[in-house]
């Protein structure tokens, strides 16, 4: 095996997807403790404030401050080099989270056993499914009275359109929670409330009729477990790793993160089954990680928090080949060479300069304005990675420069912050000076306004628009598209790639326009549409 192949097999690059409060921070912390990346509990900053202390907006700013160090947490465990990518935790939703998912090879979905499938999880799952990203599931908070297990699994299957394969099964829940039954190994892991050590007490049993089961969990829970496992065997086919890797089924584990129960078993399962770096799609062809030549893309750009220093960190995901410090690479969008003397690796609490990095790794490139989100680096080939789509914003506002003397600052700030992914900018056909801002969550508007003022000295105000639904549009025949655009010009926007977007004010209106224009295709992400020449 070559060094490249060995390094690829070691890598496990994933993100945790969940609704706020399901337990992501708690699990992250336990994973890092097992990986020896941190040594004391409480070291992972939750991105949360003491309740009510500050506004959501302040929280987002604070998060920006800590997220360089927590965006990518690297650690080693079980012979694998694990890169855990953080998805921002604030309550409002931003595109940053979507983009982070383009840089992972699998995801861990955390579900609160009391609340079941929640809104944010639903949205993130849609993004994972677009790319067939494999998802493993951890049902958390079994120490609380939650939903009936079979009903909860049904809910996951129905709401998230993915088949489940329970690999463990809870024995009781809430106050009567006794632990989990490992179905394949025929063993029980016993839960002791408040325990913080790992591994948990595990007892191998000889099938579910083994008297040791009853001795440990009591007669009635043992009977219920026998009944439920019989049902499970009838409902769910055995777990097939390929189905998981291809994103068709999700293996499900149960536990209680705050009690450190089930997390080590989860990590062991991920280490043995979660995929190593997978092939990635470009507009031109599939790129295999084993290819000798380097390729990768920028999925996130992070501005220095100090406004006096305009430099930024570009987060670069390596897709193939080996990255070397000081080597010249090809920056595809500009056609220019790129070289860096100080690429950084992200370890759990540190950044350190590295000499080389491998597929699956995320490295930080010091950026003085070279990169935009989605940029590709190669050794000369003109390819461009898919998977960094712009998502249709749900809130639109016209942005107006409130101080005519600061026109330059306004444009510079707006462009740079759009490149950083804070907002999407659109213009109107024939009216290039009208700038429309699109965001996924309202907080992004406040952040834009605040940062324009504090970092660029530009004051702005917003004006409302009366449409809320955006679709990128395309047609086989260019003339048909242009005729449609002319006819609906008051409802057309143009994005930075020069692609048309059709805006509607209601689903009814959209349906009507679609019905009357069958030659036009409507898309909810920018990725499916070719940019206009
Ligand atoms: P998040 O990052 O997904 O938003 O969730 P986080 O880990 O911060 O957990 C949210 C809350 O749920 C925390 O309580 C945490 O302690 C609790 N929690 C996590 N895992 C479990 C579990 O297995 N069982 C129970 N009962 N609770 C769990 P908090 O009150 O917000 O914070 P804290 O005071 O406990 O730190």
């Amino acid at each position: 095996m070559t060094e490249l192949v060995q390094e690829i097999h070691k890598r496990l690059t994933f993100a945790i997807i969940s609704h706020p409060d399901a337990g992501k921070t708690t699990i992250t912390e336990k994973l890092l403790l097992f990986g020896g990346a941190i040594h004391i509990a409480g070291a992972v900053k939750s991105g949360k404030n003491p309740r009510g202390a500050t506004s959501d907006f302040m929280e987002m700013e604070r998060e920006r401050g800590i997220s360089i160090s927590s965006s990518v947490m690297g650690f080693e465990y079980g012979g694998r080099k694990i890169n855990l990518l953080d998805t921002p935790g604030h309550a409002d939703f931003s595109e940053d989270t979507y983009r982070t998912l383009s840089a992972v090879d699998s995801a861990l979905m955390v579900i609160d056993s009391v609340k079941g499938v929640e809104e944010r999880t639903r949205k993130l799952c849609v993004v994972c499914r677009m790319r067939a990203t494999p998802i493993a599931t951890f049902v958390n908070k079994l120490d609380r009275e939650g939903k009936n297990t079979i009903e909860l699994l049904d809910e996951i299957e129905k709401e998230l359109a993915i088949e489940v394969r329970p690999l463990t099964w809870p024995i009781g829940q809430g106050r009567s929670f006794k632990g989990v039954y490992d179905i394949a190994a025929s063993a029980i892991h016993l839960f002791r409330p408040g325990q913080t050590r790992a591994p948990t007490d595990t007892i191998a049993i000889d099938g579910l009729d083994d008297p040791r089961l009853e001795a440990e969990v009591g007669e009635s829970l043992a009977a219920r477990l026998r009944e439920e496992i019989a049902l499970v065997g009838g409902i769910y086919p055995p777990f097939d790793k390929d189905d998981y890797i291809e994103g068709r089924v999700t293996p499900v584990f149960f536990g209680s993160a705050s009690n450190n129960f089930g997390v080590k078993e989860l990590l062991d399962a991920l280490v043995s089954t979660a995929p190593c770096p997978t092939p990635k799609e470009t507009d031109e062809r599939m790129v295999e990680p084993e290819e000798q030549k380097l390729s990768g893309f920028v999925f996130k750009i992070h501005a220095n928090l100090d406004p006096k220093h305009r430099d930024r960190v570009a987060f670069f995901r390596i897709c193939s080949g080996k990255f070397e410090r000081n080597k010249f690479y090809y920056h595809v969008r500009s056609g220019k060479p790129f070289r860096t003397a100080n690429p950084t690796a992200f370890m759990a609490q540190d950044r350190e300069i590295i000499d080389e990095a491998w597929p699956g790794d995320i490295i930080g490139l010091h950026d003085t304005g070279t990169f935009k989100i989605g940029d590709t680096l190669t050794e000369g080939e003109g390819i461009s990675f898919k998977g960094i789509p712009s998502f249709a914003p749900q809130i639109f506002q016209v942005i107006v420069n409130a101080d005519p003397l600061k026109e330059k600052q306004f444009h510079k700030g707006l462009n740079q912050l759009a490149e950083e992914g804070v907002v999407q900018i659109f213009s109107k056909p024939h009216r290039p000076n009208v700038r429309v801002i699109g965001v996924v969550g309202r907080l992004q508007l406040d952040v834009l306004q605040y940062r324009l003022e504090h970092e660029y000295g530009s004051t702005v105000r917003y004006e409302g628009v009366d449409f809320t639904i955006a679709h990128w549009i395309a047609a086989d025949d260019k003339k048909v598209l242009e005729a449609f655009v002319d006819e609906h010009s008051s409802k057309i926007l143009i994005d930075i790639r020069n692609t048309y977007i059709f805006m509607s004010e209601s689903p009814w209106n959209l349906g009507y326009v679609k019905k009357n224009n069958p030659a036009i295709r409507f898309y909810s992400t920018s990725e499916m549409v070719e940019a206009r020449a």
Side-chain angles (χ1 to χ4, degrees):
M1 233 198 280
T2 63
E3 191 186 15
L4 175 62
V5 173
Q6 269 176 15
E7 294 293 339
I8 291 169
H9 285 176
K10 269 180 78 173
R11 296 293 183 285
L12 197 181
T13 302
F14 76 105
I16 300 181
I17 58 175
S18 63
H19 194 82
D21 264 1
K24 186 181 65 146
T25 310
T26 313
I27 292 177
T28 301
E29 179 168 291
K30 307 291 182 218
L31 294 176
L32 295 180
L33 280 166
F34 290 131
I38 54 171
H39 300 288
I40 42 156
V44 176
K45 302 182 183 80
S46 73
K48 275 191 218 162
N49 284 309
R51 292 224 154 89
T54 46
S55 69
D56 276 358
F57 168 60
M58 288 301 288
E59 184 178 321
M60 197 154 165
E61 273 298 292
R62 221 172 55 86
E63 233 177 56
R64 207 159 66 82
I66 62 171
S67 71
I68 280 209
S69 52
S70 67
S71 287
V72 182
M73 291 163 277
F75 62 98
E76 306 223 359
Y77 181 86
R80 290 188 82 169
K81 161 82 196 299
I82 299 173
N83 297 308
L84 171 54
L85 274 59
D86 189 32
T87 48
H90 48 77
D92 208 343
F93 203 58
S94 93
E95 283 182 71
D96 212 23
T97 312
Y98 287 136
R99 290 196 205 101
T100 297
L101 291 176
S102 68
V104 299
D105 301 301
S106 64
L108 170 64
M109 171 163 77
V110 178
I111 294 205
D112 181 329
S113 70
V114 182
K115 294 186 181 147
V117 175
E118 294 173 90
E119 181 54 24
R120 174 88 69 94
T121 314
R122 212 171 281 130
K123 282 186 170 170
L124 293 170
C125 225
V126 170
V127 179
C128 287
R129 273 212 317 279
M130 278 170 57
R131 308 191 185 97
T133 306
I135 303 174
T137 302
F138 184 75
V139 177
N140 191 28
K141 306 197 185 180
L142 262 290
D143 59 319
R144 299 178 59 191
E145 300 296 334
K147 298 194 174 193
N148 170 288
T149 308
I150 292 188
E151 281 170 21
L152 178 65
L153 294 181
D154 263 2
E155 184 179 322
I156 296 175
E157 290 205 327
K158 286 206 187 84
E159 297 236 4
L160 305 178
I162 185 164
E163 287 187 34
V164 299
R165 298 287 182 267
L167 298 192
T168 64
W169 196 262
I171 307 170
Q173 57 172 235
R175 239 178 283 166
S176 70
F177 182 52
K178 290 282 185 272
V180 296
Y181 172 61
D182 181 332
I183 298 175
S186 185
I188 43 178
H189 301 297
L190 290 171
F191 173 64
R192 315 248 189 248
Q195 77 180 10
T196 47
R197 70 202 160 82
T200 41
D201 288 343
T202 299
I203 298 179
I205 52 170
D206 193 10
L208 289 170
D209 293 323
D210 190 325
R212 273 174 297 181
L213 173 64
E214 251 152 52
E216 289 296 341
V217 307
E219 206 174 303
S220 91
L221 284 178
R224 192 164 122 202
L225 180 67
R226 278 193 284 272
E227 214 173 276
E228 287 179 339
I229 294 298
L231 264 174
V232 165
I235 308 175
Y236 307 109
F239 173 63
D240 176 339
K241 189 174 158 184
D242 289 342
D243 283 343
Y244 156 58
I245 303 280
E246 283 157 28
R248 283 193 294 272
V249 308
T250 177
V252 183
F253 304 85
F254 296 85
S256 169
S258 61
N259 289 290
N260 206 359
F261 182 78
V263 182
K264 183 176 178 297
E265 289 75 12
L266 170 74
L267 181 59
D268 288 335
L270 289 178
V271 161
S272 64
T273 47
C276 54
T278 46
K280 297 277 178 226
E281 205 178 346
T282 68
D283 287 341
E284 292 73 20
R285 64 182 186 85
M286 286 301 272
V287 168
E288 303 289 333
E290 295 82 11
E291 291 177 21
Q292 292 300 317
K293 292 194 171 157
L294 174 102
S295 69
F297 61 88
V298 171
F299 65 94
K300 181 184 179 105
I301 292 176
H302 211 298
N304 195 321
L305 264 194
D306 179 352
K308 283 187 228 70
H309 296 99
R310 259 283 129 259
D311 55 342
R312 313 187 286 189
V313 180
F315 287 73
F316 181 75
R317 150 84 200 216
I318 298 170
C319 298
S320 69
K322 171 180 171 183
F323 184 94
E324 288 172 79
R325 179 152 87 108
N326 281 324
K327 188 167 169 178
F328 277 99
Y329 292 110
Y330 176 62
H331 181 240
V332 175
R333 185 173 49 82
S334 68
K336 290 188 183 144
F338 172 85
R339 189 181 79 105
T340 175
N342 53 358
T344 51
F346 299 94
M347 292 313 275
Q349 289 182 308
D350 277 317
R351 275 200 284 164
E352 57 181 34
I353 294 186
I354 40 123
D355 290 318
E356 55 186 40
W358 305 91
D361 283 341
I362 313 297
I363 55 174
L365 305 177
H366 179 246
D367 175 35
T368 47
T370 312
F371 292 112
K372 281 188 188 176
I373 285 169
D375 278 2
T376 299
L377 287 182
T378 66
E379 294 194 26
E381 194 180 351
I383 50 174
S384 145
F385 284 93
K386 278 186 192 285
I388 320 264
S390 294
F391 284 84
Q394 282 147 17
I395 300 161
F396 296 88
Q397 301 268 283
V398 171
I399 187 166
V400 181
N401 174 21
D403 181 351
L405 295 176
K406 297 275 172 69
E407 191 70 17
K408 217 171 116 192
Q409 287 86 335
F410 168 68
H411 284 290
K412 186 171 166 203
L414 194 55
N415 287 338
Q416 287 197 350
L417 294 176
E419 275 168 22
E420 215 185 282
V422 176
V423 292
Q424 292 183 52
I425 311 182
F426 307 96
S427 57
K428 290 194 154 194
H430 318 303
R431 295 180 62 198
N433 290 332
V434 177
R435 298 299 193 116
V436 179
I437 300 298
V439 292
V440 184
R442 192 159 282 283
L443 215 51
Q444 285 171 267
L445 291 174
D446 296 346
V447 170
L448 176 69
Q449 196 167 24
Y450 178 90
R451 291 189 62 189
L452 278 173
E453 189 174 334
H454 288 84
E455 296 174 29
Y456 298 87
S458 158
T459 42
V460 297
R461 63 167 200 275
Y462 295 116
E463 286 172 4
V465 290
D466 49 9
F467 33 65
T468 50
I469 309 173
H471 280 90
W472 277 265
I473 51 172
D476 291 334
D477 185 340
K478 228 174 156 179
K479 279 193 202 128
V480 172
L481 184 64
E482 295 295 339
F484 178 86
V485 165
D486 280 345
E487 190 189 335
H488 298 87
S489 62
S490 66
K491 294 185 167 181
I492 299 290
L493 294 179
I494 302 172
D495 75 2
I496 46 164
R497 296 193 317 158
N498 233 358
T499 312
Y500 289 130
I501 293 153
F502 175 72
M503 309 296 305
S504 35
E505 58 271 18
S506 69
W508 183 88
N509 169 267
L510 176 68
Y512 180 82
V513 173
K514 273 184 173 171
K515 193 165 155 241
N516 287 307
N517 295 277
I520 305 289
R521 296 189 300 275
F522 295 77
Y523 300 97
S524 55
T525 72
S526 64
E527 193 174 43
M528 294 126 183
V529 194
E530 295 299 308
R532 278 186 310 142

